[in-house]
Amino acid sequence: MARIPGIRSLFRLPATEGRVGGEVDDEIAFHLEERTQELVRRGVDPAAARQEALREFGDVGEARAELEAIDRRRVRQAHRSGWWSDLGQDLRYAARTLAHAPGFAAVAVLTLALGIGATTAIYTVVDGVLLRPLGVAAPERLVLVRERPAELDRPLPVVGTVSPANFYDWQEQAEAFSSMSYFTEWPGNLTGGGEPYEATVQHTSANFFTTLGVEPLLGRGFAAEEDDPGGESFGGAQVAVLSHDLWRSRYGGDPGIVGRTVELDGEPRTVVGVMGPDVRVLEGTPDLWVPLGVEAGNRTTMGRFLAGVARLRPEVPLERAEEEMATIAARLEAEYPDFNSDMGVLLTPWREAVVGEVRPALLVLLGAAGILLLIACVNVANLLLGRASTRRREIAVRLSLGATRGRLVRQLLTESLLLATAGGVLGVAAAVVGTRALLGALPESVQLPRMDVVQVDARVMLFALAVSVLTGILFGLAPAITASRQELQGTLRDESRGSTSGRGALRLRNGLVVAEVGLALMLLVGAGLLLRSFQNLQAVDTGFQAQGALTFRLSLGSDGYAAPDARRGFTERLRAELGALPGVQSVGTVSTLPLTEGGTVHTAYRVDRPAPEPSESPSVGIAIAGGDYFRAQGIQVVRGRAFDARDHADAPTTFVVNETLAREQFPDEDPIGKRLTFPWGDTPVEGTIVGVVEDVRSATVTDPPIQALYRAYPQSPVGQLNVVVRATGEPLALAGAAREAVGRLDANLPVSGVRAMEEVVGNATARSRVSSYLLAGFAALALILAAVGLYGIISYGVAQRRGELGVRVALGADRSRILRLIVGQGLVLTVGGLVLGLLGAFALTRLLRSMLYQVAPADPLTFAAVPLLLLAVALAASYLPASRAARVDPADALRG
Amino acid sequence: MAREELQLLQGTLDVLVLKTLSWGPRHGYEIAHWIRDTTEAELHVEDRALYVALHRMEERGWLEAEWGLTENNRKAKYYRLTPEGRQQLVAKSDTWARYAAAVSRVLQTA
């Protein structure tokens, strides 16, 4: 404000609240002093005058308090409005400045959008899969309970690990849990009310929903007595609880569904409840739940087919529960040595059970996206630093007009934040599209757990906003501070290059480029390792011919197929029908497909040797093969024969074994003709080996095959069928005809899981493929950004040194020397980056260990090849400006 | 003084202060002195109330303040009218005149 005329002004008003108190005191003191002096001039005694002045004033203490309060309010308000108006000013100025440099702004915004978009996309997935609520109450108190053999050589499945008898013993003896339940999953056929549909059905104990802590949306859960098998070894009340999805899709969200009946496996069940949309059991939801009661019965014959879930008591830590269960397991081992030898109990926290498998990969990808963002920031920071040198005049003028450095930094930072926000908005849009595309491109069955929860919403937006702001500060702060530090004098006088502040800025920019290159190298190494890992996975010999085979699933439940003869009859007719179709080479069935979870693992051993101790019994996978299975699946018969018409229902029991079993149980003998036995139900099954087939990967691609034994279908007609059809041409072309064939035999039988065997194989390697491709994508982007950054700084250097280069050329330096000079510069920066990057890679790639297959984290091939690649790209990036430098016309350069 | 009287005084005090400053910037003591002189026998203004009025009007943006030096080289806080303050003066004077006239009219009809 202008000086008040007629007064010798001192200084302006207090700008801070702190000074308010002092000013008020001064004002009051001045008044009192003046009044006192006036009274003294009138002849009053000084002391009396002072008293009089005070009396006249009023309560000084109260006055001071009141005045201070008013002033503080005033100052605060002024600050607030000042702050806002400054911000508005900064934003407008920033927008104008950026509008004047659209090329720069576009490049910066796009680069940032890339980094922020990638990070947001991955975060969306991470948020949905790892961070959102799990669909049960208090998941941190919930554990998955499984029996665990002491020697665990393959991953433990979720279901099929708990024996009912053991479960009841745990329930009785364990005190750490407030509630324990079991469950298992079987497919079931839903008929009536629509197309026949193969539903996933979870069979659970009655207190299942209580343990999970979920309440139904309609109706109720199971009543305590509904899991009473009623004298049978299995069974339960004929009721069902529907999942939300099934209720909406199949029953139209009918609010009156409770009390109606649905037909499952040919039997009517009354619907007693419908669960809400957020309920999940582990990764997803089954279509419906039914109560299952199990008689403890004979431990051995029942086998292990359940899974357990338990809720810890509030005050009990997991470790105490684990100790208790270990004690109980030891007790059970001593009581039932045959069945429970070497079996412990594994408690897995719920969250880990749901997402544990994918968590490492997701976190790695998040880290990679973060690195990409960092590289993007470095690029933009470099752009800004480069631009700062062209704005020196403008900044110098502003400084000389009285702008404080703080204000200047704030204004430059606002520019950065504006760029970052624009980049963020664009990035989020890209992330939305990208996430959807990514999830859509994931192969069918082996998908991310909880994929339906993955979506870009407020939380993710907030994350993107935070990332944008941080990004803006990150890449904007250094250039802003550097720009504001420039010296006034030198700049206004002349625009020379090579002043001290310029050199400092250049060193900073060079350092940034080195960092970029290093980061890009780390990503490239990571991607290289994952790609090699994936290649190794793909190269694994699965033991069968996936190409050319079609498969689908049938479930011959109790509806009309209760009798073994009915099942045999059906499968024979089915084989005949399918075999008659044009384009079909061979047809077979198997109880479990290769590379699929859920097979039966039991034990089997030679008859002519003493039975092994339970702890020594070999693990043998048992499968039932029907028709021409081995030929249809492309599994080679290496000795003896496959099953054929001789292995019918009344014939002596025959087995076909795989090479591993032959090798391990009959090391130097011919297994053909020898006899094996395995316990099954009440009586052990004994049979003669008639053939040996090649090993097939049973559960995963990475686990080595275990011993396997096949039974002929007519001798063990099970209800679960995976039909495999080998086609002469394209397998999927037969899909329609196959469905029709099934429909002709039984219109009510749902056909599910129709796909080519190649898809089954693809699914087994899907996770590795997706993560390695994604990481490779990030790495490629990082490489491009780093190359651009390198190109940028070399170009800048060339532009700065035009004069010098012109002199050199004029003095006779030949073009190739100039070329080498410039490229050499680029090389120095690159090598610096490579060294840093290699160190970083060595340190960090061990984090990838769990995702690598037959590739060491410090794999020499990758660590050698990737730097070479980067070097080549860097050389190319340096060559372009170098060749421009080499063509500098000395006259031009010296003139300019 | 009782509360209501003080409040009434506050509103009147504002217009007096604004008027006083209409002739140029003054510091608090000068304003108090002037008002005392001009209305000596009639109005007793507590100094504290005056300063509260001054600070309040500064907060409202009717006055601006700046520290300056008096003739005796002593530090004093000077107030002056802002354009908005001037508007307030005009408005309040007008209101006051109408108020006084209305009251007089009533009182004169005896």
Side-chain angles (χ1 to χ4, degrees):
Chain A
M1 86 189 194
R3 309 283 147 82
I4 297 181
I7 302 174
R8 288 181 289 167
S9 172
L10 269 185
F11 49 83
R12 300 185 187 184
L13 289 174
T16 58
E17 280 188 58
R19 286 210 271 208
V20 161
E23 305 251 333
V24 166
D25 283 346
D26 285 346
E27 194 178 13
I28 295 179
F30 173 80
H31 177 103
L32 292 173
E33 187 56 34
E34 287 289 302
R35 183 62 180 149
T36 309
Q37 289 302 331
E38 186 181 343
L39 289 171
V40 164
R41 276 198 294 277
R42 297 232 196 106
V44 181
D45 169 66
R50 183 86 183 154
Q51 286 290 44
E52 177 67 17
L54 278 169
R55 195 191 55 80
E56 279 176 4
F57 194 90
D59 190 326
V60 172
E62 263 191 50
R64 185 185 293 144
E66 215 176 330
L67 294 176
E68 273 183 31
I70 297 174
D71 279 357
R72 280 218 183 87
R73 254 199 332 258
R74 177 175 53 80
V75 169
R76 264 203 300 267
Q77 179 56 34
H79 272 173
R80 259 199 301 264
S81 54
W83 194 87
W84 278 109
S85 75
D86 276 350
L87 184 65
Q89 202 178 39
D90 283 346
L91 278 175
R92 276 192 299 272
Y93 189 79
R96 257 206 318 270
T97 322
L98 289 176
H100 280 152
F104 158 81
V107 171
V109 168
L110 281 175
T111 311
L112 290 169
L114 197 66
I116 298 178
T119 318
T120 308
I122 297 295
Y123 177 79
T124 309
V125 176
V126 167
D127 184 59
V129 174
L130 297 183
L131 298 178
R132 294 265 186 96
L134 290 179
V136 294
E140 62 281 359
R141 299 261 102 217
L142 210 59
V143 289
L144 184 66
V145 186
R146 293 178 286 182
E147 295 191 56
R148 180 196 185 285
E151 272 197 29
L152 195 55
D153 49 4
R154 52 211 300 260
L156 199 60
V158 170
V159 174
T161 53
V162 173
S163 123
N166 281 349
F167 176 84
Y168 291 130
D169 282 332
W170 297 339
Q171 207 177 29
E172 214 183 321
Q173 301 178 26
E175 310 220 327
F177 305 110
S178 60
S179 176
M180 277 182 95
S181 310
Y182 55 74
F183 66 99
T184 186
E185 218 173 83
W186 282 322
N189 293 336
L190 270 183
T191 43
E195 286 277 312
Y197 171 69
E198 192 195 56
T200 27
V201 184
Q202 270 186 359
H203 301 250
T204 72
S205 56
N207 64 351
F208 185 65
F209 295 120
T210 314
T211 307
L212 287 188
V214 293
E215 288 289 325
L217 184 67
L218 297 177
R220 59 173 177 84
F222 297 133
E225 66 279 3
E226 276 170 345
D227 66 1
D228 186 339
E232 300 283 322
S233 35
F234 294 88
Q238 290 297 318
V239 294
V241 170
L242 303 183
S243 73
H244 189 88
D245 278 349
L246 184 73
W247 173 58
R248 310 243 7 184
S249 61
R250 192 175 177 82
Y251 303 102
D254 177 7
I257 188 77
V258 176
R260 301 245 183 88
T261 51
V262 297
E263 207 175 84
L264 183 68
D265 286 335
E267 290 182 5
R269 280 183 182 269
T270 315
V271 176
V272 296
V274 177
M275 276 294 155
D278 291 327
V279 172
R280 274 168 183 77
V281 181
L282 293 179
E283 319 188 335
T285 16
D287 290 307
L288 62 155
W289 291 270
V290 299
L292 176 72
V294 186
E295 276 296 328
N298 185 324
R299 241 163 252 263
T300 316
T301 53
M302 273 287 177
R304 298 180 164 87
F305 61 96
L306 298 172
V309 51
R311 183 169 285 280
L312 291 168
R313 284 188 201 280
E315 66 281 6
V316 176
L318 183 64
E319 296 75 39
R320 182 132 61 92
E322 281 176 329
E323 280 168 19
E324 185 181 28
M325 291 304 285
T327 315
I328 297 176
R331 206 178 300 149
L332 288 174
E333 194 177 342
E335 275 180 52
Y336 305 97
D338 286 343
F339 188 69
N340 284 331
S341 68
D342 281 343
M343 285 302 257
V345 174
L346 181 63
L347 298 181
T348 313
W350 199 248
R351 186 174 286 278
E352 193 184 311
V354 180
V355 299
E357 257 196 344
V358 290
R359 194 192 285 140
L362 280 182
L363 292 180
V364 163
L365 287 174
L366 190 62
I371 293 182
L372 186 63
L373 181 60
L374 213 55
I375 297 180
C377 287
V378 167
N379 257 6
V380 179
N382 250 339
L383 278 175
L384 281 175
L385 283 174
R387 205 155 152 268
S389 61
T390 58
R391 295 175 70 180
R392 285 160 71 163
R393 252 193 184 263
E394 171 209 332
I395 293 176
V397 166
R398 295 181 69 193
L399 282 175
S400 73
L401 281 183
T404 61
R405 256 172 243 286
R407 188 84 177 73
L408 205 61
V409 169
R410 218 174 76 184
Q411 194 270 309
L412 290 174
L413 215 53
T414 311
E415 236 175 83
S416 305
L417 284 173
L418 196 58
L419 282 175
T421 314
V425 167
L426 205 59
V428 167
V432 169
V433 172
T435 316
R436 228 172 271 159
L438 175 69
L439 293 180
L442 282 183
E444 263 272 349
S445 46
V446 179
Q447 291 181 317
L448 285 175
R450 298 154 55 71
M451 251 181 54
D452 49 327
V453 187
V454 171
Q455 48 174 313
V456 177
D457 68 347
R459 272 165 74 127
V460 175
M461 300 276 197
L462 212 60
F463 170 83
L465 185 65
V467 166
S468 302
V469 170
L470 283 174
T471 307
I473 297 179
L474 192 67
F475 72 74
L477 199 58
I481 295 182
T482 317
S484 71
R485 266 211 225 117
Q486 66 187 40
E487 283 162 18
L488 225 48
Q489 302 290 62
T491 323
L492 282 181
R493 221 182 302 134
D494 83 313
E495 305 228 354
S496 62
R497 333 125 203 149
S499 60
T500 36
S501 57
R503 213 172 286 147
L506 192 62
R507 214 172 295 146
L508 177 63
R509 296 188 65 191
N510 281 341
L512 287 178
V513 171
V514 167
E516 259 191 306
V517 171
L519 289 173
L521 182 80
M522 282 167 34
L523 279 187
L524 285 168
V525 167
L529 289 174
L530 283 189
L531 283 173
R532 280 202 68 192
S533 183
F534 175 60
Q535 243 185 347
N536 289 345
L537 273 184
Q538 281 209 304
V540 168
D541 181 10
T542 50
F544 62 96
Q545 264 288 12
Q547 260 177 331
L550 176 78
T551 183
F552 57 90
R553 224 173 29 241
L554 297 175
S555 190
L556 303 180
S558 34
D559 177 17
Y561 295 104
D565 274 337
R567 293 201 279 261
R568 283 188 203 109
F570 175 82
T571 45
E572 272 193 40
R573 284 198 301 278
L574 182 65
R575 280 199 294 276
E577 281 276 347
L578 290 174
L581 291 176
V584 169
Q585 246 182 32
S586 43
V587 182
T589 65
V590 72
S591 50
T592 317
L593 288 176
L595 293 178
T596 318
E597 295 214 346
T600 309
V601 176
H602 220 51
T603 188
Y605 40 83
R606 300 171 64 151
V607 170
D608 58 352
R609 300 264 167 89
E613 292 301 305
S615 51
E616 313 270 297
S617 319
S619 289
V620 179
I622 317 263
I624 321 284
D628 253 342
Y629 173 65
F630 298 113
R631 182 125 55 94
Q633 195 69 285
I635 302 175
Q636 261 201 325
V637 177
V638 284
R639 290 179 93 118
R641 61 173 181 83
F643 293 129
D644 55 33
R646 283 173 276 181
D647 310 292
H648 57 83
D650 304 313
T653 311
T654 49
F655 298 142
V656 169
V657 299
N658 72 347
E659 288 177 303
T660 304
L661 187 151
R663 192 178 51 240
E664 292 185 6
Q665 298 212 28
F666 302 91
D668 293 306
E669 315 164 47
D670 183 0
I672 309 291
K674 301 283 196 309
R675 294 176 68 76
L676 286 179
T677 179
F678 65 89
W680 189 259
D682 287 318
T683 39
V685 176
E686 230 188 79
T688 315
I689 300 176
V690 296
V692 181
V693 292
E694 65 176 319
D695 291 333
V696 154
R697 300 271 163 161
S698 48
T700 65
V701 178
T702 49
D703 296 309
I706 58 171
Q707 299 183 28
L709 178 149
Y710 296 90
R711 297 197 62 186
Y713 187 83
Q715 298 179 346
S716 174
V718 293
Q720 294 303 318
L721 291 178
N722 287 287
V723 181
V724 179
V725 178
R726 179 152 296 273
T728 45
E730 185 51 51
L732 284 172
L734 292 176
R739 268 189 212 272
E740 277 170 34
V742 174
R744 278 197 293 277
L745 294 178
D746 182 346
N748 271 340
L749 195 60
V751 177
S752 58
V754 181
R755 51 206 168 132
M757 275 307 293
E758 276 182 305
E759 193 185 318
V760 175
V761 175
N763 286 339
T765 56
R767 278 209 187 120
S768 171
R769 175 178 37 213
V770 169
S771 22
S772 58
Y773 282 13
L774 264 183
L775 195 57
F778 285 164
L781 287 173
L783 183 61
I784 294 175
L785 284 181
V788 166
L790 195 63
Y791 170 87
I793 198 158
I794 305 281
S795 295
Y796 176 79
V798 164
Q800 291 291 80
R801 296 169 68 177
R802 280 183 80 227
E804 174 205 333
L805 292 174
V807 169
R808 284 184 189 242
V809 171
L811 288 181
D814 70 272
R815 314 272 163 172
S816 66
R817 267 192 68 189
I818 306 267
L819 205 69
R820 268 178 289 147
L821 181 71
I822 305 293
V823 173
Q825 275 183 340
L827 216 57
V828 165
L829 291 177
T830 309
V831 169
L834 286 185
V835 168
L836 280 182
L838 283 174
L839 289 175
F842 268 123
L844 292 181
T845 47
R846 73 194 58 208
L847 294 175
L848 294 176
R849 201 184 288 270
S850 64
M851 295 166 65
L852 296 179
Y853 177 67
Q854 294 188 346
V855 177
D859 177 47
L861 181 62
T862 314
F863 271 79
V866 167
L868 288 178
L869 172 67
L870 196 54
L871 207 59
V873 171
L875 278 176
S878 317
Y879 180 81
L880 290 170
S883 68
R884 263 211 318 272
R887 278 184 265 120
V888 158
D889 177 356
D892 276 336
L894 291 172
R895 208 184 307 134
Chain B
M1 269 184 215
R3 243 200 188 255
E4 301 89 64
E5 282 175 276
L6 202 59
Q7 273 188 335
L8 203 61
L9 204 57
Q10 200 76 19
T12 323
L13 191 49
D14 283 356
V15 72
L16 293 177
V17 169
L18 287 173
K19 184 65 181 177
T20 311
L21 290 175
S22 67
W23 292 300
R26 301 269 183 282
H27 58 69
Y29 183 74
E30 282 178 308
I31 300 172
H33 194 100
W34 170 261
I35 293 180
R36 208 194 318 275
D37 277 353
T38 314
T39 67
E40 181 70 60
E42 313 295 341
L43 273 183
H44 175 74
V45 178
E46 201 190 29
D47 295 326
R48 169 185 144 187
L50 173 64
Y51 277 97
V52 167
L54 282 170
H55 281 234
R56 282 234 181 89
M57 284 192 280
E58 186 190 0
E59 188 188 2
R60 284 201 209 111
W62 300 350
L63 306 178
E64 261 174 350
E66 189 175 319
W67 284 89
L69 287 179
T70 66
E71 299 98 25
N72 303 340
N73 275 335
R74 308 209 25 223
K75 216 175 65 168
K77 189 174 180 188
Y78 282 83
Y79 294 87
R80 66 163 180 165
L81 287 181
T82 62
E84 198 186 327
R86 259 177 227 288
Q87 277 178 355
Q88 287 292 329
L89 172 58
V90 169
K92 284 193 191 304
S93 307
D94 188 52
T95 312
W96 176 256
R98 284 178 14 226
Y99 175 78
V103 168
S104 302
R105 266 207 299 277
V106 168
L107 293 180
Q108 272 164 9
T109 64

